[in-house]
Amino acid sequence: FSGINVMTSYSTLIFKAAGGRPTVVATSLGLMTCFFATAAAANVSDRYGRRTLLLASCAIMAGGAALAGFMLASADTLDVAAWVSGGLSVLGVCTFYLGYAIGIGPVPWVLISEIFENRLRARALAYLSALNLWANGLLCVAAMYLINLFAGCEIDAAVVDDNGAPARPYEECTEGRREHGAGLLLISFAGFIC
C-alpha cells in the first residue's frame, strides 16, 4: 500500500495544519510507532496468522486515516482547543502507522517470498520491489495534484499563505484550502482501504 509514503511525506503538513507546533517531534513519534510495531508484528504473525494481521491492519489504517483526515478537513469548522486537534491528528497518523506496520507492511513481502519457487524468487522480488517503488513515487507526486483537486484549486496552483491575497480566486491555493484538500484525500484513502 503506497499510502504510507503519502502519509509520511505529508505528516508534517497534517501536524502543522492541526495546530501542532513541534511537527518534527510529532513526525518522529509516528515513525517510531511504525518501527516498534513492525518489530512486534514479527513476533505475532505466526500466532495470529497472516490473514488476521492483514484484516486488522486494514481496519486500523482506515481508522487512523479517517481520524487524521477528519481533523484536517474540518480544522476551521471545529471549535476545539488547538492541543486537542493536534493530539487527535498525531493519534490518527500514529494509528495509521501502527496498522501499516503490523500487517500491510511486512506480510506481503513474506508471502511474495513464499509464492515463487527458488529459481524465480530473486527475479520476482526484484521486479516487485521496482514496481512498488514506482507506484510509491507516482502516488506521492500525484498526491500534490489530488490535494489541489480536492481543495477546489487549479491542479497546478501554487500555495500562498492564508494572509496573502491571490490575484484571482483560483490562481493560487491558500494553505487552509490545501489542508482541507489533504484531509479529504486521507478520508478517501480510508475509504479505499475498507
Side-chain angles (χ1 to χ4, degrees):
F1 180 73
S2 299
I4 188 71
N5 289 323
V6 172
M7 185 70 87
T8 303
S9 300
Y10 291 96
S11 62
T12 304
L13 168 75
I14 294 168
F15 299 141
K16 179 183 172 192
R21 295 290 171 236
T23 56
V24 174
V25 173
T27 303
S28 299
L29 179 66
L31 293 175
M32 285 185 346
T33 301
C34 189
F35 176 77
F36 289 116
T38 302
N43 293 329
V44 298
S45 64
D46 289 333
R47 183 183 313 161
Y48 296 109
R50 295 179 186 136
R51 182 176 188 277
T52 303
L53 281 180
L54 287 173
L55 292 174
S57 176
C58 288
I60 293 169
M61 285 174 61
L67 177 62
F70 175 75
M71 294 309 299
L72 199 56
S74 61
D76 293 336
T77 59
L78 290 178
D79 189 26
V80 295
W83 67 271
V84 172
S85 175
L88 289 175
S89 295
V90 170
L91 179 66
V93 171
C94 288
T95 302
F96 183 87
Y97 284 153
L98 173 73
Y100 175 81
I102 65 167
I104 292 290
V107 171
W109 295 106
V110 172
L111 291 176
I112 290 169
S113 68
E114 293 173 350
I115 290 173
F116 297 102
E117 58 187 63
N118 286 339
R119 66 183 181 84
L120 299 175
R121 186 173 297 150
R123 183 174 289 159
L125 284 172
Y127 287 140
L128 291 172
S129 295
L131 178 66
N132 185 32
L133 288 174
W134 278 100
N136 288 336
L138 181 66
L139 189 59
C140 283
V141 169
M144 294 184 305
Y145 299 107
L146 290 171
I147 288 171
N148 281 346
L149 181 73
F150 285 133
C153 302
E154 291 181 7
I155 295 294
D156 59 348
V159 180
V160 295
D161 190 12
D162 281 331
N163 299 330
R168 293 189 317 231
Y170 293 104
E171 181 179 353
E172 307 289 346
C173 195
T174 63
E175 288 177 344
R177 288 173 61 192
R178 280 184 49 90
E179 291 161 4
H180 182 74
L184 293 178
L185 179 63
L186 291 177
I187 291 171
S188 68
F189 278 168
F192 281 116
I193 292 170
C194 294

